[in-house]
């Protein structure tokens, strides 16, 4: 169940509070003392107190989407929400973490869910993505939410689907966790992690969890779709690459007629099946075996040429950046095949790759940048914090044996002039020490430890966080 955590730094002191999200899923599960709402990897079983016939009929009920918003904090129109990937979010009070309102995307636009990773323009306009499922198949939808309220009680009023993209296979659309955005384009990555909609719809009848309807198809190429943010036009040219799996993007920016797309990706799609509770409960050799079947994720850059026309020659590399090893070759009138360049040196292999990438978002998202931060994964959860310098692809590392840091959150100095002038915040878990959790503060420039705020509680490993100067 989703638990919200808050570290408040004020007047040289750090205070901590946490609260279970009072979602319908939490209330129903708590009242019955068992899983009543199905989740991604957990199927709610029939009530054992019902008779056999009632339990049999319950398998034919449609699964209700969960409102267990356990992925991330997001922001719309100045308000904070906690989100997962269904159509439900919860508006929360950032001061005390109380749930204020349950919000349903489908009451405002025709989508059946949305990601927990929106992007923002400098004026506060938010962009997101969500699928819609219709009798004629699936559509991927690009969503725009205005930056301001028209009334004080507004939530998603004014949200609009600016365009829809037809999947390669309407009954087997791609799963996606996030998307990328440059100054003028939304970049949707249609990857070979596929959803078998028939299996998902019938999962309760078959007694299987939702994740059993998701699979990796290495025979499918990955497709980058570009959408003009202002007009909603889907660019006819499609950019392809080999089969890769993606959960998080680093950044995307346009320069000299190219769109640079920086992402964390792997050459296989086993991760979505490996991060299940039955695997994470394993230990020793059994857990090592799970990790060894999980593909490592590495930061890579794809270069997408924006000015490809009918006169553009085929069969030759269109990437004219002298310092870039990426290639992009026009194959046909509407297809460019791209090969990536690595955004790292060989030393990253020692740390198990990199995930949970973060940048100086407010100043450098959609712009050329130099630094990004992330977690190294020498096992199933992150065990190091990494800083990558794109100028020479060198690493700075924070790592201590037995310590497991969360996603790094970059906080700029109030009057910063340099891109990496600020601090990195990360919540560090210490499983071998009872109640040894602490908030770590690193100098973002040097990656040297500045301090810790110890918290006398045991916390679960989390996914994403955010920093707010107003809470």
């Amino acid at each position: 169940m989703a638990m919200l955590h808050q570290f408040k730094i004020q007047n040289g002191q750090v205070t901590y509070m946490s609260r279970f999200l009072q979602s319908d899923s939490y209330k129903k599960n708590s009242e019955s003392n068992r899983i009543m709402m199905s989740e991604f990897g957990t199927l709610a079983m029939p009530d054992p107190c019902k008779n056999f016939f009632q339990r049999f009929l319950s398998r034919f009920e449609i699964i209700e989407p969960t409102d267990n918003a356990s992925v991330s904090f997001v922001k719309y129109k100045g308000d904070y929400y906690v989100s997962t990937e269904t159509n439900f979010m919860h508006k929360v009070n950032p001061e005390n973490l109380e749930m204020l309102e349950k919000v349903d995307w489908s009451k405002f636009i025709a989508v059946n869910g949305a990601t927990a990773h929106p992007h923002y323009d400098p004026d506060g306009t938010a962009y997101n993505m969500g699928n819609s499922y219709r009798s004629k198949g699936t559509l991927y939808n690009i969503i725009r939410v205005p930056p301001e309220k028209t009334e004080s009680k507004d939530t998603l009023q004014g949200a609009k689907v600016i365009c829809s993209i037809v999947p390669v296979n309407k009954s087997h659309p791609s799963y996606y966790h996030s998307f990328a955005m440059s100054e003028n384009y939304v970049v949707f990555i249609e990857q070979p992690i596929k959803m078998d909609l028939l299996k998902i719809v019938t999962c309760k009848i078959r007694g299987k969890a939702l994740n059993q309807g998701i699979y990796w198809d290495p025979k499918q190429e990955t497709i980058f779709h570009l959408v003009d943010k202002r007009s909603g036009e889907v660019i006819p040219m499609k950019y392809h690459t080999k089969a890769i799996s993606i959960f998080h993007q680093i950044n995307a920016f346009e320069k000299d007629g190219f769109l640079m797309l920086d992402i964390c990706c792997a050459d296989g799609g086993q991760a979505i099946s490996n991060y299940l509770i039955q695997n994470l409960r394993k230990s020793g050799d059994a857990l090592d075996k799970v990790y060894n079947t999980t593909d490592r994720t590495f930061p890579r850059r794809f270069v997408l040429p924006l000015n490809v026309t009918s006169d553009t020659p085929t069969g030759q590399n269109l990437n004219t950046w002298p310092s870039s090893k990426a290639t992009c070759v026009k194959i046909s009138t509407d297809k460019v095949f791209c090969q990536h360049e690595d955004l790292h040196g060989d030393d990253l292999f020692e740390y198990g790759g990199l995930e949970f990438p973060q940048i100086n978002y407010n100043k450098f998202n959609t712009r050329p940048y130099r630094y990004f931060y992330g977690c190294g994964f020498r096992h199933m959860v992150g065990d190091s914090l990494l800083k990558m310098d794109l100028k020479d692809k060198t690493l700075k590392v924070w790592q201590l044996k037995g310590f497991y840091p969360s996603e790094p959150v970059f906080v700029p100095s109030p009057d910063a002039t340099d891109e990496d002038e600020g601090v990195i915040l990360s919540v560090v878990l210490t499983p071998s020490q009872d109640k040894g959790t602490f908030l770590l503060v690193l100098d973002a420039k040097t990656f040297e430890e500045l301090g810790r705020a110890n918290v006398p509680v045991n916390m679960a490993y989390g996914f994403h966080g955010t920093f707010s100067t107003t809470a």
Side-chain angles (χ1 to χ4, degrees):
M1 293 288 92
M3 176 176 276
L4 315 183
H5 304 270
Q6 180 198 82
F7 292 86
K8 180 175 286 188
I9 305 170
Q10 190 173 27
N11 300 325
Q13 299 293 317
V14 180
T15 58
Y16 167 80
M17 69 179 299
S18 63
R19 187 187 297 269
F20 276 109
L21 177 67
Q22 297 298 303
S23 63
D24 291 339
S25 297
Y26 174 80
K27 293 175 182 176
K28 290 178 181 179
N29 292 345
S30 298
E31 290 169 1
S32 300
N33 198 30
R34 69 182 188 89
I35 299 298
M36 294 289 292
M37 299 283 291
S38 293
E39 302 287 344
F40 177 76
T42 306
L43 180 68
M45 301 306 294
D47 188 344
C49 295
K50 293 182 178 179
N51 62 43
F52 172 80
F53 186 65
Q54 290 172 320
R55 293 199 301 272
F56 174 75
L57 288 180
S58 69
R59 289 190 175 272
F60 295 88
E61 296 172 355
I62 297 175
I63 289 182
E64 182 181 352
T66 181
D67 67 337
N68 179 39
S70 60
V71 178
S72 187
F73 285 87
V74 296
K75 198 173 184 179
Y76 295 104
K77 301 182 183 181
D79 292 327
Y80 281 95
Y81 297 79
V82 285
S83 177
T84 180
E85 296 180 338
T86 68
N87 52 305
F88 296 118
M89 298 189 300
H90 292 276
K91 184 178 178 179
V92 295
N93 182 339
E95 287 291 338
N96 57 19
L97 303 182
E98 285 187 354
M99 193 268 281
L100 301 176
E101 182 179 359
K102 181 178 176 178
V103 178
D104 183 349
W105 277 99
S106 66
K107 301 297 184 184
F108 300 92
I109 51 177
V111 296
N112 298 98
T115 80
H117 289 290
H119 277 291
Y120 306 96
D121 274 343
D123 68 351
T125 299
Y127 294 84
N128 207 336
M129 287 197 62
N131 285 1
S132 55
Y133 304 103
R134 311 176 305 165
S135 59
K136 295 182 179 181
T138 307
L139 290 174
Y140 308 121
N141 301 293
I142 312 297
I143 305 163
R144 182 168 59 213
V145 181
E148 297 178 351
K149 301 178 181 180
T150 56
E151 297 182 7
S152 61
K153 294 184 179 180
D154 272 5
T155 55
L156 296 175
Q157 284 82 355
K160 182 180 180 181
V161 171
I162 63 171
C163 87
S164 299
I165 299 170
V166 179
V168 171
N169 185 333
K170 292 184 179 181
S171 62
H172 289 244
S174 291
Y175 167 80
Y176 55 93
H177 182 72
S178 61
F179 62 99
M181 188 178 82
S182 68
E183 182 179 359
N184 295 298
Y185 298 96
V186 167
V187 185
F188 168 59
I189 304 173
E190 190 171 13
Q191 62 181 336
I193 298 179
K194 298 295 182 178
M195 300 188 293
D196 186 327
L197 296 186
L198 180 60
K199 285 187 176 181
I200 290 174
V201 170
T202 60
C203 65
K204 196 167 185 179
I205 298 174
R206 297 182 297 110
K208 302 290 185 180
L210 291 169
N211 70 291
Q212 296 297 308
I214 299 178
Y215 65 97
W216 167 249
D217 185 355
K219 297 178 181 178
Q220 297 290 322
E221 291 183 344
T222 302
I223 305 173
F224 304 124
H225 300 271
L226 269 59
V227 176
D228 187 297
K229 286 163 54 178
R230 291 159 184 83
S231 69
E233 176 190 4
V234 181
I235 305 305
M237 183 61 65
K238 304 301 176 189
Y239 304 88
H240 291 237
T241 192
K242 66 177 184 178
I244 54 175
S245 62
I246 308 101
F247 288 92
H248 301 107
Q249 285 76 41
I250 306 169
N251 200 1
F253 61 92
E254 303 156 40
K255 190 172 183 179
D256 300 332
F258 295 93
L259 190 150
M260 309 296 174
L261 177 63
D262 296 350
I263 60 179
C264 288
C265 57
D267 293 326
Q270 192 63 30
I272 201 165
S273 301
N274 283 359
Y275 279 90
L276 300 175
I277 189 66
Q278 55 264 43
N279 287 330
L280 297 178
R281 282 175 172 164
K282 296 176 180 178
S283 60
D285 292 342
L287 187 60
D288 290 343
K289 184 177 180 180
V290 176
Y291 174 71
N292 290 333
T293 63
T294 304
D295 296 281
R296 308 297 180 266
T297 301
F298 291 96
R300 297 170 176 172
R301 172 170 291 176
F302 292 87
V303 178
L304 313 183
L306 296 174
N307 301 317
V308 181
T309 68
S310 57
D311 296 327
T312 302
T314 59
Q316 68 182 49
N317 183 17
L318 303 178
N319 182 11
T320 56
W321 272 47
S323 61
S324 173
K325 296 181 180 180
T327 64
C328 43
V329 178
K330 182 182 176 184
I331 303 298
S332 62
T333 56
D334 61 354
K335 180 178 179 179
V336 171
F337 192 85
C338 302
Q339 291 182 302
H340 71 269
E341 66 171 307
D342 292 330
L343 294 182
H344 63 89
D346 291 343
D347 51 352
L348 185 58
F349 293 104
E350 178 184 345
Y351 300 99
L354 183 148
E355 247 294 358
F356 294 154
Q358 289 287 316
I359 63 171
N360 184 342
Y361 188 95
N362 289 340
K363 291 290 184 67
F364 289 91
N365 189 54
T366 76
R367 299 177 179 90
Y369 70 113
R370 180 173 171 178
Y371 304 104
F372 64 89
Y373 312 87
C375 288
F377 277 76
R378 294 196 305 174
H379 220 289
M380 296 298 289
V381 296
D383 65 346
S384 64
L385 292 171
L386 308 174
K387 176 187 179 180
M388 180 66 70
D389 185 342
L390 290 176
K391 185 177 181 180
D392 52 12
K393 297 181 181 178
T394 56
L395 276 178
K396 283 185 169 64
V397 182
W398 181 93
Q399 183 179 41
L400 290 173
K401 185 177 180 180
F403 287 21
Y404 299 89
S406 70
E407 171 187 68
V409 175
F410 176 83
V411 182
S413 297
D415 300 314
T417 56
D418 295 335
E419 179 183 344
D420 60 345
E421 189 174 347
V423 297
I424 292 293
L425 302 179
S426 177
V427 179
V428 180
L429 306 186
T430 56
S432 61
Q433 302 177 24
D434 185 44
K435 299 180 180 180
T437 305
F438 60 90
L439 176 68
L440 173 69
V441 184
L442 299 179
D443 184 316
K445 189 178 287 288
T446 65
F447 239 49
E448 294 178 354
E449 185 173 328
L450 297 177
R452 303 180 182 184
N454 296 297
V455 181
V457 297
N458 292 320
M459 291 174 57
Y461 189 79
F463 296 112
H464 303 293
T466 189
F467 177 82
S468 171
T469 57
T470 59

